[in-house]
């Protein structure tokens, strides 16, 4: 029963996503994806929004190299930072539901990332947890 309800919620979210994509986004070439859940903490992103849309994967890649090979942590483009600001208020995650921040765009763009198999997709409480 509970499972069925969850399925319905997912189905509804997908329906909304599809609707947004077909109605509003068709006419807005500047937009990369349907605006499903874009609420974020903070005044602004770590770079300006157009740069983030275009280049966030490159920033993350550089940050990973800097951390893993250079030992730099807590830096500007950390994945933890993305999660802290962009986690959904409803699900608490950036990638638990189709409507969550990272997933909403990636589903639309047919991008698959494995990052959250290792990294927490939810803000980690101060003092511990996975990287
Ligand atoms: C197999 C496990 C694994 C996967 C998959 C993985 N990472 Fe990591 N990642 C790590 C570990 C371990 C570290 C080192 C953590 C540390 O030393 O703080 C790290 C560090 C990082 C850092 C630097 C620390 C930070 O929070 O900024 C970034 C950025 C990062 N990874 C991004 C990614 C991205 C983007 C993906 C998906 C494309 C990804 N990782 C996939 C294990 C993984
Ligand atoms: C301090 C909080 C904060 C951090 C940290 C942060 N963001 Fe953002 N981000 C925002 C805000 C606020 C916006 C909305 C800006 C706007 O509406 O113009 C945004 C916008 C974005 C956008 C554009 C969304 C859209 O509507 O097209 C992307 C993509 C993005 N962020 C990805 C990331 C990634 C990836 C990281 C980690 C490397 C990150 N953000 C870190 C606050 C943050
Ligand atoms: C505004 C839409 C949008 C948002 C929001 C977004 N992404 Fe992306 N992301 C994309 C698109 C589009 C691509 C594919 C770009 C390409 O292939 O050039 C991508 C690609 C990536 C890649 C590279 C995947 C690969 O296989 O090359 C990573 C890593 C990534 N995103 C991480 C994130 C993370 C983490 C978040 C959430 C914090 C996020 N993205 C939020 C649109 C978005």
């Amino acid at each position: 029963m509970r499972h069925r309800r969850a399925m319905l919620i997912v189905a509804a979210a997908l329906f909304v996503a599809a609707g947004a994509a077909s109605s509003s986004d068709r006419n807005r070439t500047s937009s990369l994806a349907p605006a499903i859940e874009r609420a974020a903490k903070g005044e602004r992103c770590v770079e300006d929004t157009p740069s983030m849309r275009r280049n966030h994967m490159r920033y993350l890649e550089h940050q990973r190299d800097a951390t893993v090979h250079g030992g730099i942590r807590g830096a500007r483009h950390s994945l933890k930072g993305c999660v802290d600001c962009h986690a959904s208020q409803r699900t608490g995650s950036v990638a638990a539901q189709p409507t969550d921040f990272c997933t909403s765009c990636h589903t639309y763009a047919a991008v698959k990332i494995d990052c959250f198999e290792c990294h927490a997709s939810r803000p980690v409480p101060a003092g511990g947890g996975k990287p």
Side-chain angles (χ1 to χ4, degrees):
M1 193 59 200
R2 206 191 290 154
H3 180 68
R4 192 146 154 237
R5 221 174 117 212
M7 291 294 290
L8 282 175
I9 290 167
V10 170
L14 288 172
F15 183 77
V16 170
S22 59
S23 59
S24 62
D25 266 64
R26 196 181 289 151
N27 308 324
R28 280 193 299 141
T29 47
S30 64
S31 173
L32 205 53
I36 298 173
E37 186 158 347
R38 284 290 183 278
K41 283 192 203 158
E43 287 287 299
R44 61 191 60 196
C45 202
V46 288
E47 303 291 340
D48 63 90
T49 299
S51 305
M52 285 313 286
R53 283 189 193 141
R54 259 195 317 272
N55 296 321
H56 62 276
M57 51 312 274
R58 283 183 265 287
Y59 298 145
L60 282 167
E61 209 176 295
H62 285 158
Q63 188 66 60
R64 168 159 58 177
D65 290 350
T67 301
V68 174
H69 303 300
I72 296 163
R73 286 198 176 71
R76 179 168 184 167
H77 297 138
S78 96
L79 182 56
K80 191 174 167 300
C82 326
V83 172
D84 284 345
C85 281
H86 286 292
S88 156
Q89 294 201 340
R90 205 166 47 78
T91 70
S93 169
V94 293
Q97 292 282 320
T99 48
D100 289 346
F101 185 71
C102 309
T103 324
S104 64
C105 248
H106 290 167
T107 305
Y108 183 78
V111 174
K112 263 195 162 320
I113 59 172
D114 64 358
C115 319
F116 301 117
E117 285 169 22
C118 296
H119 292 274
S121 76
R122 302 164 189 273
V124 177
K130 283 202 233 170

